[in-house]
Amino acid sequence: MYRFSIEGQEWILRFSPQISVGAEEKQAILTSLLQIEKDLLAYSHGEAFMMLDKKIGAIVFIVEKVPSFILTVSTIIPIDHWYIQDPTLKLFKTC
């Protein structure tokens, strides 16, 4: 579990128990979140979003705002488990 602050609001980043990632990957996820911090404030309680990382894969987050600000990594899907039907789909955009 990690704690971080966005515009004075204290957030918690936690990982679902079924997810097994190392400390380096967890730190990379936190660093990526800090780059999009203003976008995080726009999500409502109960919403989910996905972040794509070239090394880790697709990271799915669930947003909780009641009673605390919590982001839960609910699953991580490695790139070798992606099935893309549209080869023209641009997968990565820079923050």
Side-chain angles (χ1 to χ4, degrees):
M1 183 169 25
Y2 292 85
R3 294 182 184 273
F4 61 100
S5 180
I6 300 174
E7 294 187 7
Q9 296 176 341
E10 295 296 318
W11 285 77
I12 297 170
L13 172 63
R14 66 181 181 185
F15 295 81
S16 290
Q18 74 267 19
I19 295 176
S20 177
V21 292
E24 186 176 314
E25 289 87 358
K26 288 179 180 179
Q27 187 63 45
I29 291 169
L30 178 60
T31 301
S32 295
L33 285 172
L34 294 175
Q35 293 177 14
I36 63 163
E37 63 182 22
K38 295 198 188 280
D39 294 330
L40 293 177
L41 299 175
Y43 290 106
S44 298
H45 177 82
E47 284 191 302
F49 68 95
M50 183 174 69
M51 182 181 292
L52 303 176
D53 182 275
K54 290 180 182 178
K55 291 181 182 177
I56 300 170
I59 307 157
V60 180
F61 297 88
I62 298 173
V63 179
E64 297 175 54
K65 290 189 171 180
V66 178
S68 299
F69 295 100
I70 301 171
L71 286 175
T72 302
V73 176
S74 64
T75 193
I76 296 176
I77 305 167
I79 292 175
D80 62 343
H81 289 123
W82 295 6
Y83 300 95
I84 302 167
Q85 292 179 315
D86 182 354
T88 64
L89 183 66
K90 185 175 179 180
L91 295 178
F92 295 98
K93 92 173 190 189
T94 56
C95 295

